């Protein structure tokens, strides 16, 4: 392959490889971002919230069942749920179907939560409201043929699966870094790809010149590559051959002159 072709290929690859890497990385990033920022349906959100508060709801249901038989505050469930809610900065309230508060656990100050929780009192099964760093989740349940409304108040607003701004920034930064790295790696590889083709014939020619400088006119360069250096090496061999023939001719003329002079002197 000629040096010209190598330079042409290297210039093409210098553009194609970084562009290809950019496209692949961008497609992967789009898939990841789509997954992270995918807006779930109302049913999916409801299922996710239900799962988040499932522990509190189960605990409240146990307390209600225990309260129908004895004082639920004396049970381990009540104490453990009270401790968990206190440590989690949450509050749980249980209402009858008439809106009467029968149980209240946790330490969160109801404040606004109780106010906008009123909007959930008529919920058929479950519902949630969250804003300004506060959230309320309410679920209606039937225990021993009686309707109860369980509400969990929290000082953390539900954000679903979309709180990934940091991840998105990291992905964008990663794309930029990968593209820059691919450019440098491609540049380094293609530089060696072209330089290797040029270095070998230059080294061969340099060695030949040094041989002639040292008086060795028998030097002959064997170069079989079909590129721009082949005619240069052939010209070098032809030059060496002509130089040797010229020196041989001069030496022979000098010997003939000396023989002629010696013949005259003997006469």
């Amino acid at each position: 392959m000629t040096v010209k072709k190598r330079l042409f290929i290297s210039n093409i690859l210098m553009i194609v490889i970084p562009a290809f890497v950019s496209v692949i990385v961008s497609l992967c990033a789009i898939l990841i971002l789509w997954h992270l920022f995918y807006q779930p349906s109302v049913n999916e959100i409801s299922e996710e919230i239900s799962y988040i508060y499932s522990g509190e709801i189960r605990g409240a249901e146990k307390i209600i069942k225990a309260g129908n038989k004895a004082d639920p505050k004396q049970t381990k469930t009540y104490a453990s749920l009270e401790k968990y809610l206190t440590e989690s900065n949450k509050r749980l309230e249980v209402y009858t179907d008439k809106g009467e508060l029968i149980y209240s656990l946790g330490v969160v100050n109801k404040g606004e939560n109780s106010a906008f929780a009123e909007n959930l009192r008529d919920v058929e099964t479950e519902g949630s409201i969250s804003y300004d760093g506060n959230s309320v989740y309410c679920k209606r349940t039937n225990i021993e043929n009686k309707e109860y409304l369980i509400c969990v108040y929290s000082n953390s607003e539900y954000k679903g699966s979309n709180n990934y701004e940091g991840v998105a920034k990291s992905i964008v930064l990663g794309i930029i870094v990968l593209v820059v790295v691919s450019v440098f790696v491609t540049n380094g590889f293609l530089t060696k790809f072209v330089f290797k083709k040029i270095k070998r014939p230059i080294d061969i020619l340099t060695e030949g010149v040094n041989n002639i400088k040292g008086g060795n006119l028998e030097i002959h360069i064997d170069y079989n590559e079909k590129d721009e250096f082949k005619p240069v090496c052939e010209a070098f061999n032809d030059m060496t051959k002509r130089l040797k023939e010229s020196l041989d001719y001069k030496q022979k003329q000098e010997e003939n002159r000396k023989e002629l002079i010696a013949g005259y002197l003997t006469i």
Side-chain angles (χ1 to χ4, degrees):
M1 185 184 296
T2 64
V3 175
K4 185 177 180 180
K5 286 184 178 179
R6 288 198 174 217
L7 286 172
F8 176 76
I9 292 173
S10 66
N11 289 333
I12 296 297
L13 293 178
M14 189 74 73
I15 299 173
V16 172
I17 292 179
F20 178 77
V21 172
S22 301
V23 170
I24 296 299
V25 174
S26 298
L27 288 175
C28 294
I30 289 172
L31 290 175
I32 294 173
L33 290 173
W34 179 85
H35 176 73
L36 293 178
F37 289 92
Y38 163 69
Q39 296 294 333
S41 64
V42 174
N43 290 334
E44 290 174 320
I45 293 176
S46 178
E47 291 176 1
E48 189 170 353
I49 298 176
S50 298
Y51 177 77
I52 293 173
Y53 293 107
S54 59
E56 290 90 334
I57 298 300
R58 285 196 301 269
E61 290 174 346
K62 290 182 180 180
I63 291 174
I64 294 171
K65 291 178 181 179
N68 292 335
K69 300 177 182 179
D71 184 3
K73 295 183 179 181
Q74 303 301 320
T75 63
K76 292 182 179 180
T77 301
Y78 190 98
S80 59
L81 184 58
E82 175 77 33
K83 180 180 179 181
Y84 166 75
L85 293 169
T86 301
E87 293 176 349
S88 303
N89 203 28
K90 297 179 181 179
R91 187 176 189 83
L92 183 144
E93 294 179 348
V94 179
Y95 298 87
T96 64
D97 58 347
K98 296 180 181 180
E100 179 185 355
L101 177 65
I102 55 175
Y103 300 114
S104 180
L105 300 84
V107 296
V108 175
N109 186 358
K110 293 187 296 182
E112 293 181 347
N113 285 342
S114 291
F116 64 77
E118 293 291 336
N119 297 320
L120 297 176
R121 294 293 171 81
D122 296 328
V123 67
E124 293 184 0
T125 55
E126 62 181 343
S128 66
I129 297 177
S130 60
Y131 77 95
D132 195 24
N134 299 287
S135 65
V136 176
Y137 170 73
C138 294
K139 180 176 181 180
R140 193 169 294 280
T141 184
N142 187 297
I143 299 175
E144 297 179 357
N145 297 323
K146 292 183 179 181
E147 290 288 337
Y148 296 93
L149 182 67
I150 304 172
C151 293
V152 181
Y153 304 90
S154 174
N155 283 342
S156 59
E157 182 178 357
Y158 171 74
K159 296 182 180 180
S161 303
N162 295 333
N163 191 22
Y164 293 104
E165 292 184 4
V167 177
K169 291 179 181 178
S170 299
I171 291 175
V172 173
L173 180 62
I175 292 174
I176 296 173
V177 171
L178 284 174
V179 171
V180 172
V181 170
S182 68
V183 170
F184 278 102
V185 171
T186 304
N187 182 59
F189 170 76
L190 295 178
T191 300
K192 290 182 179 179
F193 176 74
V194 176
F195 181 72
K196 182 179 179 181
K197 188 65 178 179
I198 299 175
K199 185 177 183 300
R200 179 173 174 270
I202 290 178
D203 289 342
I204 293 174
L205 288 169
T206 302
E207 183 181 356
V209 171
N210 290 333
N211 273 274
I212 292 176
K213 183 179 179 181
N216 180 16
L217 298 179
E218 301 292 335
I219 183 69
H220 180 83
I221 294 177
D222 293 322
Y223 189 79
N224 300 318
E225 298 291 336
K226 295 181 180 180
D227 57 22
E228 292 85 350
F229 286 98
K230 184 174 179 61
V232 177
C233 293
E234 290 176 348
F236 179 87
N237 289 333
D238 185 63
M239 179 194 68
T240 305
K241 180 181 178 182
R242 290 175 179 273
L243 182 60
K244 185 176 183 303
E245 289 175 352
S246 176
L247 288 176
D248 289 344
Y249 178 74
K250 287 183 178 181
Q251 287 179 357
K252 190 166 185 178
Q253 279 190 326
E254 182 65 21
E255 289 175 359
N256 290 336
R257 187 181 68 82
K258 287 180 180 180
E259 288 178 359
L260 184 61
I261 293 174
Y264 278 116
L265 290 176
T266 54
I267 297 174

